[in-house]
């Protein structure tokens, strides 16, 4: 296995690991708030569950970039590009970093924002639609990072 190939795999691993950590952290923070609301008002379960699940998308985005990267280097069908040069490996690593880093940070912050929105639903269940907008704004940046990573990985010549 070449150094470039190993570096590309590190990029793929970081996309999943960091974005997944952000999602786990965010879903955990929101879940704590959701559990408190459901303990007081079980009828709010569906609303707070939706808000809790929102930070989970970053991990999905990281996994998607990992699949695209593994396909690009030939590990998901085709011949593996095990003789990849270091510059190509570094380019793939760099292409994976937007979703890795933004997924980590936005997952955490989306969890905090979801927890605050769960607080809104606890006090004013009729304001669920408005409460959804706050964590959705954080999601925007995860989607932008996903697009940049997909476009970047897809355009690295292997």
């Amino acid at each position: 296995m070449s150094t470039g190939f190993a570096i590309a795999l590190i990029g793929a691993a970081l996309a999943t690991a960091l974005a997944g950590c952000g999602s786990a952290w965010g879903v955990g923070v929101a879940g704590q708030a959701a559990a408190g609301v459901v303990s007081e008002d079980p009828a709010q379960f569906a609303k707070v569950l939706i808000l809790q699940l929102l930070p989970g998308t970053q991990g999905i985005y990281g996994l998607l970039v990992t699949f695209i990267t593994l396909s690009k280097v030939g590990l998901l069908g085709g011949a593996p590009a095990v003789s990849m040069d270091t510059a190509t490996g570094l380019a793939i690593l760099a292409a994976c970093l937007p979703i890795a880093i933004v997924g980590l940070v936005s997952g955490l912050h989306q969890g905090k924002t979801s927890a605050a929105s769960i607080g809104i639903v606890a006090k004013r269940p009729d304001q669920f639609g408005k409460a959804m907008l706050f964590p959705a704004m954080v999601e925007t940046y995860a989607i932008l990072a996903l697009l940049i990573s997909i476009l970047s990985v897809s355009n690295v010549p292997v």
Side-chain angles (χ1 to χ4, degrees):
M1 178 184 334
S2 69
T3 303
F5 187 72
I7 292 170
L9 293 181
I10 290 169
L14 285 174
T16 292
L18 294 181
C21 284
S23 280
W25 204 343
V27 168
V29 167
Q32 292 172 21
V37 171
V38 171
S39 72
E40 294 293 322
D41 185 2
Q44 299 307 320
F45 175 76
K47 289 179 181 176
V48 298
L49 180 63
I50 292 168
L51 288 165
Q52 182 201 2
L53 292 174
L54 284 175
T57 56
Q58 283 81 345
I60 295 167
Y61 299 160
L63 189 61
L64 177 62
V65 169
T66 296
F67 285 142
I68 292 168
T69 302
L70 294 178
S71 178
K72 181 81 173 180
V73 300
L75 287 179
L76 294 179
V82 291
S83 63
M84 180 183 303
D85 63 27
T86 303
T88 302
L90 287 170
I92 291 173
L93 169 64
C96 292
L97 288 179
I99 193 57
I101 295 167
V102 175
L104 174 66
V105 175
S106 69
L108 171 61
H109 288 287
Q110 191 173 33
K112 291 178 179 181
T113 307
S114 289
S117 292
I118 287 167
I120 293 171
V121 170
K123 292 179 182 179
R124 304 273 310 268
D126 60 311
Q127 297 300 308
F128 173 72
K130 291 178 184 173
M132 283 280 296
L133 292 176
F134 299 119
M137 294 307 297
V138 181
E139 184 78 18
T140 302
Y141 297 96
I143 292 169
L144 293 174
L146 170 65
L147 292 173
I148 292 300
S149 285
I150 288 173
L151 290 171
S152 298
V153 168
S154 298
N155 286 298
V156 172
V158 179

